[in-house]
Amino acid sequence: MNEKERERLLQIHTTHLGEQPYASGHYHHYEPTPYATLDVLFEQYDIRNRKRLVDYGCGKGRILFYVHHYFHLPVVGVEFDDQLYREALLNETTYLQKKHKWTASITIEHQLAEQYDIQREDDVFFLFNPFSLQIFMTVIQKIMKSVEAYPRTVDIILYYPTDEFHYYLTYDTPFTRIQEVKVIGDSLDNQNRFLIYRYAHHS
């Protein structure tokens, strides 16, 4: 199934980039993760028994609707850009017109990533290089505080991981890298992969 066919299946529009929203040194421009790449990730990473996924910099919501559709998992998208947030809400409306029988929730928050109030059920966090290392560090610190307050196992999934993000998680946090998922057929691009990190804290 190609990109257009998958969009029709989900009744959403996330492929076209259109005008790039505001990007700065801290927040990066929108780019959707290819569906075929998500297929590779979730063939190797088991998300079925997790409680809720949070996508930081969710853009138009592709990850949210993909995970909700295939795994019936509650999802949260965090997006600060006005245009992308509105488009994500429109996609939610059209997606739910055919998915109303499912009870898993979809939440889309219009705010900065570092402002998102992490909930105790949030246990998988997806990031496709949405912001700078400074913002990333703030977000990770909030995740760790949440885990300490509500002990649980949480995973962070990085797509196109930067060395900075990897080094920070590896050497400055209790997160451990548990998995690497390489995107098949793109051997020339070493960064086209997922790195998955886990922090398990139990009382």
Side-chain angles (χ1 to χ4, degrees):
M1 215 182 292
N2 63 30
E3 294 272 303
K4 289 184 179 179
E5 291 169 337
R6 200 75 69 100
E7 295 272 273
R8 284 197 295 269
L9 170 67
L10 298 177
Q11 294 294 304
I12 61 176
H13 298 283
T14 63
T15 302
H16 183 59
L17 297 180
E19 293 184 9
Q20 291 297 334
Y22 173 76
S24 70
H26 286 298
Y27 288 89
H28 305 156
H29 68 270
Y30 166 71
E31 183 178 350
T33 306
Y35 284 109
T37 300
L38 292 175
D39 292 341
V40 172
L41 169 65
F42 291 110
E43 284 169 5
Q44 299 185 45
Y45 171 73
D46 189 0
I47 199 175
R48 291 171 297 177
N49 295 319
R50 308 318 295 266
K51 292 183 178 179
R52 190 161 75 163
L53 175 139
V54 177
D55 180 11
Y56 284 109
C58 71
K60 301 178 184 181
R62 175 177 293 192
I63 302 292
L64 308 180
F65 306 117
Y66 180 102
V67 169
H68 191 272
H69 173 79
Y70 287 107
F71 304 104
H72 306 179
L73 195 74
V75 291
V76 178
V78 183
E79 179 55 58
F80 87 101
D81 182 81
D82 292 339
Q83 174 189 335
L84 294 175
Y85 172 72
R86 289 194 298 269
E87 293 192 46
L89 292 182
L90 289 174
N91 282 327
E92 179 185 17
T93 298
T94 56
Y95 170 81
L96 288 175
Q97 286 174 355
K98 291 196 173 183
K99 313 296 178 185
H100 56 83
K101 65 180 179 180
W102 290 344
T103 58
S105 64
I106 299 173
T107 305
I108 303 174
E109 300 284 357
H110 185 206
Q111 59 187 169
L112 297 171
E114 61 269 35
Q115 295 174 338
Y116 173 65
D117 186 14
I118 297 166
Q119 303 299 304
R120 62 193 306 170
E121 63 267 31
D122 297 339
D123 60 358
V124 180
F125 301 88
F126 185 93
L127 301 96
F128 179 7
N129 285 337
F131 34 66
S132 68
L133 177 63
Q134 180 179 339
I135 302 299
F136 181 73
M137 292 169 62
T138 301
V139 167
I140 297 301
Q141 291 294 327
K142 289 193 71 172
I143 292 173
M144 290 192 297
K145 287 181 181 178
S146 173
V147 173
E148 290 163 6
Y150 304 104
R152 63 196 190 276
T153 297
V154 300
D155 289 353
I156 293 176
I157 303 173
L158 301 183
Y159 180 48
Y160 261 89
T162 67
D163 290 340
E164 289 180 321
F165 284 19
H166 167 67
Y167 292 147
Y168 174 69
L169 286 175
T170 302
Y171 298 111
D172 295 315
T173 79
F175 280 91
T176 301
R177 192 174 109 181
I178 61 165
Q179 196 171 353
E180 177 182 9
V181 178
K182 294 183 178 179
V183 178
I184 300 171
D186 200 356
S187 59
L188 297 178
D189 189 350
N190 293 327
Q191 292 304 103
N192 194 1
R193 58 180 179 153
F194 297 92
L195 292 183
I196 302 165
Y197 301 80
R198 177 166 294 170
Y199 176 26
H201 178 67
H202 302 287
S203 56

